[in-house]
Amino acid sequence: MMHWRTEPVPFRGHVVAAGLAAGLERGSLAELFNRTGMHAIHARDAEIFAEGARADAIYRVLTGAVRLTKLTSDGRRLIGAFYLPGDIFGIEADDRHDFAAEAIGETRLLAVRRSVVGADAEENTDLARDLWNHALSHLRQARGHMLLLGRKNAQERIAAFLMEMEERTEGAGRVELPMCRQDIADYLGLTIETVSRTMTHLERSGIIGLPSSRRVVLQDRPALDSLLEPLAA
Amino acid sequence: MMHWRTEPVPFRGHVVAAGLAAGLERGSLAELFNRTGMHAIHARDAEIFAEGARADAIYRVLTGAVRLTKLTSDGRRLIGAFYLPGDIFGIEADDRHDFAAEAIGETRLLAVRRSVVGADAEENTDLARDLWNHALSHLRQARGHMLLLGRKNAQERIAAFLMEMEERTEGAGRVELPMCRQDIADYLGLTIETVSRTMTHLERSGIIGLPSSRRVVLQDRPALDSLLEPLAA
DNA sequence: CGATTAATTGACAAAACTCAATACGAGTGG
DNA sequence: CCACTCGTATTGAGTTTTGTCAATTAATCG
């Protein structure tokens, strides 16, 4: 179930997807969302767009969270990215989406039709540059994720994931995970059991705290850093 | 297999990196390469650009092959992509390269300065669109590779790799691999031993032939397809 | 409070990795 | 032409990590 409203919404978020600090210029992408964005609400697990669907809008997360998923016929699932409030997604396809997007919890989005974006971008240099930068930041995110999936062990994946989430939510040492263990597993290319075991292992080592399964406290940041250190460059 | 010999090089190739069929319009990226591209030759294993280097040119492969690599301090290496004759690379960075690029064998390239590309793209819609499409095809390639690294076993990775190489070189059932086993291993997130063992296993199953280590014959295509089938969608 | 879903834990199996030895292949010099 | 060498690839044996299957505990929601 999905509700559409047309009122412009003030931009309260921040672009965290790839550490890009987007300024708020007239004619920018952020401004376009605020001026012409359509409001949408998606229920938990609702599909925002399907794999293979025509890409006809781009989105900004207002509240909640989104996962980009690809499902194989025998049930394996990969989550290519998570999008949190402030993040923009859906640029990442030329014609058809190669991944589906789903709301993780109840999620509010702003959507702008591609026809509108495209028309504006022809005129407006700022907007074109914003779109370009976003596409590249998605590419960088994907490449970073490749490294994680290809060359890291379970501990390193979990550590990297927790640090990433903490950064993106500015959680000051504590992270409130919007997604379940299975989502994390499918994002990290692990099984749910390995995620669980690795989490408890980090907890028993005193590196993190787990007041509840969705709440993580980064207690020993240096230790976490040192887990990732070999991957730095 | 394609070879580029003449100096002002007509674009006879096709963009294979992600299956994008680029048209040949005046003012397109291909045309820009042909008109203003600088010729460069890199010896085997020579660095084309370093990780972290300022991104100031984009490239098209004429002959040879290129690998995009990221090295970690403890020696793990990931190859993010291979580029073959006709492929364009180096767009994939906004300011700094997050991966290094190296020639695999002796490799000839065309290079165009970013300042030139950027200036032209402001004026020229075709070129801007070409750049955009290339960036998105790199993104699709990276996402496809994520799926491979995150959810496939060794056999599936090798099978996918061989099929990809065959498609990209139009080898009609036979592939001449430009890269060594270690490169393949680092592209697939495996060890060299696992690559080797899996290759010989496929050979003993009669699915592929291995007249030499660098030459592969896809003998039983249906069998190869069926190895990948579960990943189709 | 009971029902249902999500998360953890345990015991075992399988896949891939590591370390070590051997084989192959191209190039070199006797 | 053969032997030698060096880099690359293959093969083998044993270990480690992660996955699988099953059971248990915790959390959530009417």
Side-chain angles (χ1 to χ4, degrees), chain A residues 122-184:
Chain A
E122 299 262 319
E123 319 278 276
N124 183 332
T125 318
D126 280 350
L127 177 55
R129 191 166 31 70
D130 271 10
L131 286 170
W132 181 252
N133 284 333
H134 267 92
L136 291 183
S137 77
H138 284 283
L139 179 55
R140 186 169 33 244
Q141 186 271 341
R143 290 249 167 89
H145 204 166
M146 277 173 35
L147 188 65
L148 184 119
L149 294 170
R151 307 265 84 161
K152 291 187 192 178
N153 63 29
Q155 258 203 9
E156 292 167 333
R157 293 182 201 203
I158 295 287
F161 170 72
L162 293 176
M163 303 277 282
E164 181 199 342
M165 288 302 292
E166 199 266 349
E167 285 224 351
R168 290 176 61 184
T169 58
E170 329 190 19
R174 22 183 60 253
V175 188
E176 187 78 37
L177 298 173
M179 72 290 286
C180 68
R181 290 288 188 272
Q182 187 63 60
D183 286 343
I184 298 172

Side-chain angles (χ1 to χ4, degrees), chain A residues 14-152:
Chain A
H14 53 276
V15 179
V16 282
L20 184 90
L24 193 147
E25 300 125 21
R26 275 212 66 70
S28 66
L29 187 53
E31 199 269 335
L32 183 68
F33 267 108
N34 294 338
R35 203 178 64 239
T36 69
M38 307 283 267
H39 215 95
I41 300 186
H42 290 266
R44 173 182 140 100
D45 294 329
E47 188 171 74
I48 297 160
F49 51 74
E51 182 183 339
R54 174 159 274 113
D56 48 22
I58 67 177
Y59 305 86
R60 188 171 74 201
V61 181
L62 294 178
T63 65
V66 172
R67 58 178 176 249
L68 254 202
T69 70
K70 187 155 196 151
L71 201 60
T72 68
S73 58
D74 66 345
R76 284 176 274 182
R77 186 180 71 156
L78 179 74
I79 292 182
F82 291 118
Y83 298 113
L84 305 180
D87 291 348
I88 285 167
F89 68 98
I91 311 177
E92 42 215 296
D94 42 1
D95 178 41
R96 301 271 170 183
H97 290 290
D98 49 347
F99 278 63
E102 297 159 2
I104 290 178
E106 177 164 292
T107 297
R108 295 199 297 144
L109 301 173
L110 276 185
V112 179
R113 298 223 132 248
R114 280 177 164 256
S115 53
V116 176
V117 183
D120 265 41
E122 299 262 319
E123 319 278 276
N124 183 332
T125 318
D126 280 350
L127 177 55
R129 191 166 31 70
D130 271 10
L131 286 170
W132 181 252
N133 284 333
H134 267 92
L136 291 183
S137 77
H138 284 283
L139 179 55
R140 186 169 33 244
Q141 186 271 341
R143 290 249 167 89
H145 204 166
M146 277 173 35
L147 188 65
L148 184 119
L149 294 170
R151 307 265 84 161
K152 291 187 192 178

Side-chain angles (χ1 to χ4, degrees), chain B residues 73-128:
Chain B
S73 58
D74 65 347
R76 283 176 274 184
R77 186 179 72 155
L78 179 74
I79 293 182
F82 292 119
Y83 298 113
L84 305 180
D87 292 348
I88 285 167
F89 66 98
I91 311 174
E92 42 216 294
D94 43 0
D95 179 41
R96 301 272 171 181
H97 289 290
D98 48 347
F99 279 62
E102 297 161 1
I104 290 178
E106 176 163 294
T107 298
R108 296 199 296 144
L109 301 173
L110 277 184
V112 179
R113 300 224 130 247
R114 281 178 162 254
S115 52
V116 176
V117 183
D120 265 39
E122 300 262 321
E123 321 277 279
N124 183 332
T125 318
D126 281 349
L127 178 55

Side-chain angles (χ1 to χ4, degrees), chain B residues 153-154 191 193-194 197:
Chain B
N153 63 30
T191 59
E193 293 95 334
T194 300
R197 273 187 255 272

Side-chain angles (χ1 to χ4, degrees), chain B residues 48-60:
Chain B
I48 297 159
F49 52 74
E51 182 184 338
R54 175 160 273 113
D56 47 24
I58 69 178
Y59 306 86
R60 188 171 74 200

Side-chain angles (χ1 to χ4, degrees), chain A residues 180-181 193 196-197 200:
Chain A
C180 68
R181 290 288 188 272
E193 293 94 335
S196 204
R197 274 188 255 272
T200 45

